[in-house]
Amino acid sequence: MSHTKFAASLQGAPRLDRRQTTPGNDFAFRIESLRFDEDYRPSEKTRVTTNFANLARGANRQENLCKALRMIDNRFNALAHWDNPKGDRYSVELDIISVELEIDSEADGPSFPLIEMLSTTIVDHKTAKRIAGVVGNNFSSYVRDYDFNVLLPEHNKNRSEFSTPPDFGDLHGKLFKSFINSNAYTKRFDKPPIICISASSSRTYHRTDNQHPILGVEYRQDELSATDQYFSKMGLAVRYFMPPNSVAPLAFYFIGDLLGDYTNLELTSIISTMETFQKIYRPEIYNANSAAGACYQPNLKHQDYSLTQVVYDREERSRLGVEQGRFAEKNFIKPYRTMLEQWSANSAL
C-alpha cells in the first residue's frame, strides 16, 4: 500500500464490530485477518517490507509462495515425525493478523496501522482436526520501524560510541502490552504471542547442555542486544534454541514459560514457519552448509551457504524500512506526540 493511501486512511477510518477498547485507556484496537496462501496478494493495509508481502510481488510471486509454503509443511512434518511415517500428516495454514489502533474510541476519528503478524493453524490430515498454532510469527510494526530506522540513527549521529535514548522502546512496548491485554486480543487468541527472529550478528552465543525435543539445543549469549532490550519493554523474555537439523539458533521472545505454556505442535508451527522465512531472508546464517558450533556468532558475510529457490529482495526491504519509519513519524509520532507522551507516562503497563 502506498503511504499516500495510508495517510488518507487515517482520516475518519471506518469502525468495525470487532473493535475492542483496552481497559484503562482511550485507545481501541481492531483486528483483521487475511489468509496467506498461494493466491495471496498483499492488502493495501499490509506493510510493504513484511517478509510475506515481499514474496508475493513480481513475476515469480505464485511460484515463490508455493515453494515457501511447501518448505513450511515439509519442515513441520520433519519435526513432528511421531505417528507420521510418510512425513505428510500435517500442513500449516497461515493468516496475516493486522492490528489497527484507534486513537479515540468514543468518536469517529483517526486510526493507525500498529502491528502485523502471522497466526498458524495446524491441519492434522490423519484425524481431520484443525489445531490452533501460535500467533506472533513475522511480527512487525511501524513504530518499531520509526524507533530503529529514524530515532536511533538520529540519536547516534556524530557520537563516537553507539547508545540508545533512555526511553528507547517505551512507547512501543506499552502499545504492544496494551494490545495484548485488550479484549480484542484475548477474545481471539488463547495464549500470548511468540515472536521468533534471527539471532543477532553482533552477539556471541554459547551452546549449553539443555536440550528440548522440538526447540532443540539451547544457546546463551554473552550480553543482551539492543533488540533484546527493546523487546523486554514489550514484556518479552528471550531464549535461544537451535532446533533439530537446523544450522543456527533462533531467538524466541515470549511471555510466561516458553517450554511449559505451549505444546510441541504449537512450537513446531512457529519453528517451521520462521525457519523457512529465515532461510529465504538470511541464507548466510540459516541455510549455511555447516551448523553452529559450541561458540557461535552469526555472520551475514558468511560465504558457505546455499540459496533457496525463492526470490527475495533484501535491498528493497532495507530501503522501505526507512521509508516506513518516516511514515510513522509523519502520521503518528509527530501529530500525536503530546497525547502519546501523556498516555505513556500515565500507563501502568
Side-chain angles (χ1 to χ4, degrees):
M1 179 180 187
S2 70
H3 293 169
T4 301
K5 289 182 180 179
F6 256 140
S9 74
L10 296 177
Q11 305 301 321
R15 292 185 171 272
L16 302 180
D17 291 337
R18 284 168 287 184
R19 186 185 71 249
Q20 298 290 341
T21 304
T22 299
N25 65 35
D26 293 328
F27 291 151
F29 301 95
R30 61 177 178 226
I31 297 175
E32 292 183 335
S33 64
L34 178 66
R35 178 59 51 87
F36 178 72
D37 57 19
E38 64 272 12
D39 297 318
Y40 164 72
R41 292 183 182 275
S43 161
E44 287 191 344
K45 295 183 179 180
T46 292
R47 291 172 66 257
V48 289
T49 62
T50 308
N51 288 339
F52 42 81
N54 189 299
L55 297 183
R57 292 196 297 274
N60 298 319
R61 57 169 302 279
Q62 193 163 49
E63 183 179 0
N64 276 345
L65 294 170
C66 287
K67 287 179 178 178
L69 293 168
R70 191 180 310 119
M71 287 172 66
I72 292 171
D73 286 347
N74 289 343
R75 184 59 170 135
F76 189 101
N77 282 290
L79 285 168
H81 52 79
W82 56 91
D83 293 338
N84 189 8
K86 295 183 179 180
D88 60 358
R89 176 171 176 171
Y90 301 99
S91 59
V92 180
E93 293 180 351
L94 300 171
D95 288 292
I96 301 167
I97 304 300
S98 300
V99 182
E100 288 199 3
L101 179 148
E102 293 187 338
I103 296 169
D104 184 354
S105 62
E106 298 302 323
D108 286 335
S111 63
F112 186 78
L114 188 65
I115 291 169
E116 199 159 53
M117 50 192 173
L118 289 176
S119 176
T120 60
T121 300
I122 304 153
V123 181
D124 185 339
H125 299 288
K126 180 177 180 179
T127 63
K129 290 183 178 179
R130 295 169 56 82
I131 306 163
V134 176
V135 66
N137 307 269
N138 258 317
F139 172 87
S140 60
S141 78
Y142 271 104
V143 178
R144 186 186 177 205
D145 283 339
Y146 164 76
D147 282 343
F148 277 92
N149 295 305
V150 178
L151 179 63
L152 198 56
E154 290 180 354
H155 172 78
N156 282 286
K157 187 182 296 183
N158 299 324
R159 290 177 182 262
S160 58
E161 293 185 4
F162 176 85
S163 67
T164 58
D167 59 350
F168 185 65
D170 285 1
L171 174 62
H172 182 269
K174 289 178 179 179
L175 288 170
F176 177 80
K177 287 188 282 188
S178 182
F179 170 61
I180 296 303
N181 291 324
S182 71
N183 291 332
Y185 184 89
T186 57
K187 284 188 175 182
R188 183 164 187 139
F189 302 107
D190 294 332
K191 297 181 180 182
I194 300 176
I195 298 173
C196 178
I197 63 175
S198 170
S200 173
S201 58
S202 67
R203 294 292 178 265
T204 301
Y205 301 87
H206 301 276
R207 189 166 58 206
T208 72
D209 293 331
N210 196 33
Q211 189 163 348
H212 184 272
I214 298 299
L215 291 170
V217 177
E218 184 166 18
Y219 277 72
R220 291 184 183 149
Q221 61 184 341
D222 51 354
E223 59 180 323
L224 294 178
S225 67
T227 298
D228 297 334
Q229 296 172 14
Y230 189 83
F231 277 40
S232 72
K233 294 190 175 183
M234 298 162 62
L236 302 172
V238 64
R239 294 178 74 170
Y240 299 87
F241 286 90
M242 186 167 74
N245 299 315
S246 297
V247 295
L250 291 160
F252 295 87
Y253 294 89
F254 60 93
I255 299 169
D257 182 356
L258 177 65
L259 277 60
D261 292 345
Y262 301 89
T263 68
N264 283 347
L265 288 182
E266 288 172 333
L267 294 173
T268 301
S269 74
I270 194 167
I271 293 169
S272 59
T273 300
M274 292 314 302
E275 192 178 79
T276 293
F277 279 109
Q278 292 297 348
K279 283 183 176 181
I280 295 167
Y281 175 47
R282 288 187 165 172
E284 299 93 339
I285 298 174
Y286 290 97
N287 215 31
N289 293 327
S290 57
C295 179
Y296 175 68
Q297 182 174 5
N299 184 0
L300 286 170
K301 295 182 179 180
H302 183 67
Q303 297 295 313
D304 185 21
Y305 64 92
S306 299
L307 289 172
T308 67
Q309 297 179 0
V310 180
V311 179
Y312 190 99
D313 192 336
R314 287 200 294 189
E315 181 179 347
E316 178 195 58
R317 184 181 190 272
S318 298
R319 175 176 54 81
L320 291 177
V322 176
E323 291 183 14
Q324 292 181 164
R326 293 292 181 189
F327 168 76
E329 178 183 41
K330 178 182 177 181
N331 293 286
F332 186 60
I333 301 298
K334 283 187 173 180
Y336 302 106
R337 185 181 300 276
T338 300
M339 182 270 291
L340 290 170
E341 288 177 350
Q342 291 175 347
W343 174 83
S344 182
N346 295 326
S347 174
L349 294 171

